[in-house]
Amino acid sequence: MRKSTQSAEALLSPYFEAKGWHAFDFQRDTWQAHAEGRSGLLHAPTGQGKTLAVFLGPLADRLHRESLDPKCPAACEVLWLTPLRALAQDTLRALREPIEHLAPHLAVEARTGDTSSAQRAKLRKKLPWCLVTTPESLSLLLTHADFRDQIVGLKTVIVDEWHELLGTKRGVQTELCLARLRAWHPDLRVWGLSATLGNLDEAREALLGLAFPGSSTISADLNKELVIETLIPAEIERFPWAGHLGTRLVEPVAKAIESADTTLLFTNTRSQTELWFQELLEARPAWKDDLAMHHGSLDREERELVEQRLRDGTLRCVVCTSSLDLGVDFSPVDQVIQVGSPKGVARLAQRAGRSGHQPGKTSRVLCVPTHAFELIEFSAAREALARGEIESRTPVSKPLDVLVQHLVTCIIGASIKPSDLRQEIQTSHAYRDLDDEEWEWALAFITTGGQALKSYPQYHKARLENDHLKLDDKKLIQQHRLSIGTITGDRSISVQFLGGKRLGTIEESFITRLKPGSQFIFGGRHLELVRFHKQTASVRKATRSLRGHVPIWNGGKMPLSNELSHAISRSLHDTGPPSAERLALQPILSIQQSRSGLPSDDTLLIEFTRTREGEHLFFYPLAGRLVHEGLGSLVAWRLGKYPGESIHITQNDYGFCLTARRGLSLDPRRLSEAFDSNNLLDDLLSCMNTAELARRQFREIARVAGLIVPDFPGSKAPKRDLQTSTSLLFEVFQRYDSGNLLLLQSQREILSKQFEINRLGEVLTSISKRAMRLIETDRLTPLAFPLWADRLSATLPAGDANSRLEAMLTLLNRETDPSSQVNH
Amino acid sequence: MLQISTDPPLTLIGAPAALTSSRALIVADVHLGKSATFRAKGLPVPEGDNEHDLGRLLECIARTGASRLVVAGDLIHAPAGKTTATLSAIESFLEACRIPVTLVLGNHDRNSGALPRDWNLEIVPALDLDGWHIVHDPADAPENRPSIAGHWHPAIRIPDGKRTSLRLPCFWLRGKNLVLPSFGSFTGGQVVTPLEGHRVFTVLRDQVVELPQALWRP
């Protein structure tokens, strides 16, 4: 059923004429493809009119049908999936605008976790022509038996910011929901929107599954101009070699903010955000009312207020984290500042794209280093971008926790034959090679518990009846609906004033380190912890003015990407005309070269230095901090066990350092053995505290798989009989069902999440082929210094709880018992 | 085994349990049938906890040559977990252990309803034994008399490193009242904050060790 685009364009022209716009080629191409019944992926930098490209196709289609049949029945025809519920309101605004011009009789509504229960009830009765929702809300809708009838007219699903979902379990959840919708509507068109990625084809395959031959990837290649500038410190010799706060450049940054109308200042962590906010306020007290902060832990109302003021252009500067990376269009922003390492090429480009959001405008980003070596990262990112070397996002492959959750979701909605369900699920990219064992396990998990002969007694959830899977226990259905959703993190603690005003949330691990009376900074306020009780930290304004702890949240450990690492290596050895950053860094690079050498992709630089603390080996594989953490543990373990000597490991994005009191050396044979790429997995499992890490990872898996009963909203008392902790469950599974595939999954996930196991393997293979450059230095080099300075920071202590406790007791005895010191 | 200098004397063992002067073995919070409760509510948790925990209890009785067993409350987790399998496991245990068994009722026992009358099991609200008053809830312990309780599942948090800590089930001696750690393998712990002068013990490789105050009140 080929329809001419001429008609699509003609149908849409009133809107474009009213706006005085011309349609871009990529918009026409997308309308054409949609009219031909095709699916695809559209990629474009932000601010390129891609919303109109994917949304107006379905609208033109509707207008076309209405022109043929004015009584064309009203129905829900379009689903718009957004990764962030915070984006739903902006999306509504963006979609309603053309609708008001072209088809005011069509409704666009949102249903997300933020939607009021009244609105939800309304939507339960009748869905609008276009429904904006999240993957979790869509899953939830699938559990309602009448949902299938409500979307009987569904024609198109649009997935916004697909690159954000790709590579996460929520992306897999999206894939599964789409597989369900495709099974219901074989002609369904699915369109994804994505920022630029290194693996766009794979991204498209993951979105569309196996059922879409002839799908297309359309690029909005408009040559959007992107300028990356760096604030170069005046005296590089006095600029720190290490650290990550970098507030030394506050004054020039304040000046840059003065020179623009509206600035977004991005930092890498929430604690850095708090710190820069404080420092800027100290530097320019007059900005008290025009300076704001935005990060994921602040209360929603507060964040929305900041977003609104950004849109209105009434703020001078917002200090923020990745919470403002996504989608939202803040046209007044005319300057973006990035503080600290960009970490990745795509990330820097994405942030830069927040300025000059309109098509045709130049995007600019001003980069602010927090220590000297970040200068080279900025120039490397610029160069990688010019070469089109952008990071990929690897889709998650068949996570079983998401699968069992989805199975229950499906059978609540309708009873299904297992073989049909399996066939449907295997049309998704994530589960395309799901094997019999995994499938049987997943089925058993929701019906009998254990596999085959080991079924769990008295367990009941879903059941097989007349060869159909069913679940009709009302309580279990309710329980499942509450537990839908796959994002979990550290438990969030609500921060509120004694009077009750909510300020936002903070991770439990942070708040438990504070004692009542301790001060900290949160949301730009100096606070004092009064008490912490039942998920709520009550605070009051700090009375004494004191520089408090800045809250340290998790999530600041993003490693340098592979692409950026390679670009750095290239920049360090580039013989062409040097960039401004490289010139500025030259004095420090010269010191590095005179004491040792520059690390590179084709040799492995290893330095050996003695200090008062003992002996240090510094390795510079340039592979990002997670890989270095894994490599450090592995190499330390393989270099051997010196009786009574422990090896301490520190790492950053450039390399890692081993420190011991004695026993380290530059022995080429032993070092090359330590980098052997064989037995990587076994050795890593033996040397790391993987059991402890897997236990932590199990928290997320247990929740997704429905092992944890969610608290019912509004009910204060948790279900006491079913109260447990995921770490206890982990032990119970290990003890009584050690072959459970969820345990294996948590080990697999922790290896890839904590150490980027695949990248680690690749790095190890490449290192074993590289030449080693061994250099003994009598002083720390500029590259060694940050690793040395970091030596006191704690990583997870090795050993199980017993040995850790023994070590502490022994130490305590030695300190308090004088005789043991004499006998030493 | 660790004899603590209380009056009357008491020995702590790694089971975890306490042993009085007449060799009465005291445990608390066994929570039998907990995994069965989860399964009954549609949560796929493997079984094995009943068998494992009752086995440990038998072994402990044999090893200590205990003259009687006192469960200081919460023998059974919940009504839904009081399945035929759970009940028959307890029945076999009562036959196999060959010593008198007393259950000091806990809140979970009360919620779980009556137990078969023909069981060889004495059930009491509280018990006085070898100079110790044994109750389930520490809140019901008398202030001026030595007592042993359970209920809280106490655990202690010990920082080791800048951002890491150990969380260990513990015996908590708070004045004259000793709170036992929970015995069941599918029971969690609740972190407690002992005060100056209290004593804290934990199990390290099957042995009870005292944790010096320096570790938990840094």
Side-chain angles (χ1 to χ4, degrees), chain A residues 365-380:
Chain A
V365 58
L366 176 66
C367 300
V368 180
T370 57
H371 63 80
F373 271 93
E374 274 169 0
L375 284 168
I376 203 83
E377 295 183 23
F378 296 132
S379 81

Side-chain angles (χ1 to χ4, degrees), chain B residues 10 12 16-18 26-29 70-74 104-106 125-127 132-142 145-154 170-174 176-183:
Chain B
L10 197 71
L12 303 185
I26 307 170
V27 298
D29 300 285
V70 178
V71 177
D74 291 358
V104 175
L105 278 177
L127 183 70
W132 293 93
H133 182 72
I134 303 166
V135 284
H136 177 59
D137 189 342
D140 299 335
R145 273 198 295 152
S147 61
I148 298 174
H151 189 54
W152 284 346
H153 303 205
C170 68
F171 296 86
W172 180 16
L173 185 60
R174 35 198 290 281
K176 287 182 179 304
N177 172 240
L178 175 74
V179 187
L180 297 175
S182 60
F183 184 87

Side-chain angles (χ1 to χ4, degrees), chain A residues 173-186:
Chain A
Q173 186 180 27
T174 309
E175 288 181 42
L176 286 171
C177 289
L178 289 174
R180 184 103 268 241
L181 297 177
R182 279 195 309 261
W184 292 348
H185 301 273

Side-chain angles (χ1 to χ4, degrees), chain A residues 590-617:
Chain A
S590 300
I591 302 176
Q592 175 71 32
Q593 270 166 315
S594 68
R595 289 187 197 167
S596 163
L598 294 178
S600 81
D601 267 355
D602 43 8
T603 55
L604 175 65
L605 175 65
I606 307 177
E607 294 169 358
F608 176 80
T609 316
R610 283 195 184 83
T611 68
R612 266 186 303 181
E613 282 130 13
E615 299 170 342
H616 310 272
L617 277 173

Side-chain angles (χ1 to χ4, degrees), chain B residues 54-140:
Chain B
L54 289 170
R56 282 166 55 223
L57 210 44
L58 275 181
E59 194 192 323
C60 183
I61 291 168
R63 195 154 26 94
T64 55
S67 59
R68 70 184 284 187
L69 172 70
V70 178
V71 177
D74 291 358
L75 177 67
I76 292 185
H77 182 65
K82 225 172 75 179
T83 58
T84 331
T86 303
L87 290 175
S88 73
I90 301 176
E91 204 169 350
S92 325
F93 166 82
L94 291 173
E95 272 166 33
C97 75
R98 293 165 187 279
I99 51 172
V101 182
T102 306
L103 170 63
V104 175
L105 278 177
N107 53 325
H108 281 263
D109 301 310
R110 290 200 177 89
N111 291 339
S112 302
L115 291 170
R117 281 199 201 153
D118 56 347
W119 276 7
N120 191 9
L121 174 70
E122 181 194 18
I123 300 179
V124 294
L127 183 70
D128 284 291
L129 187 69
D130 295 333
W132 293 93
H133 182 72
I134 303 166
V135 284
H136 177 59
D137 189 342
D140 299 335

Side-chain angles (χ1 to χ4, degrees), chain A residues 457 706 721 735-736 804 806, chain B residues 39 42-43 47 77 160 185 205:
Chain A
D721 292 350
R735 192 176 288 142
Y736 306 121
R804 282 161 68 190
E806 266 171 354
Chain B
R39 288 191 294 276
L43 300 164
E47 69 164 340
H77 182 65
D160 78 328
S185 58
R205 302 195 200 282

Side-chain angles (χ1 to χ4, degrees), chain A residues 149-253:
Chain A
D149 292 334
Q150 284 192 302
I151 56 160
V152 74
L154 186 69
K155 305 243 180 283
T156 307
V157 179
I158 296 163
V159 183
D160 200 359
E161 312 263 11
W162 175 235
H163 60 277
E164 279 297 325
L165 291 168
L166 190 70
T168 69
K169 288 187 183 174
R170 299 178 71 220
V172 175
Q173 186 180 27
T174 309
E175 288 181 42
L176 286 171
C177 289
L178 289 174
R180 184 103 268 241
L181 297 177
R182 279 195 309 261
W184 292 348
H185 301 273
D187 290 334
L188 187 71
R189 282 163 279 192
V190 176
W191 280 88
L193 292 171
S194 169
T196 308
L197 288 172
N199 57 337
L200 279 171
D201 286 339
E202 194 179 17
R204 190 192 64 224
E205 281 161 24
L207 177 72
L208 303 181
L210 308 185
F212 283 91
S215 61
S216 39
T217 302
I218 295 178
S219 302
D221 189 12
L222 294 182
N223 273 331
K224 178 132 182 134
E225 212 183 326
L226 200 155
V227 181
I228 299 173
E229 291 162 324
T230 302
L231 191 67
I232 293 176
E235 293 178 290
I236 191 74
E237 288 81 2
R238 294 177 58 189
F239 201 65
W241 289 0
H244 61 283
L245 299 172
T247 48
R248 190 175 288 220
L249 292 176
V250 161
E251 189 48 41
V253 167

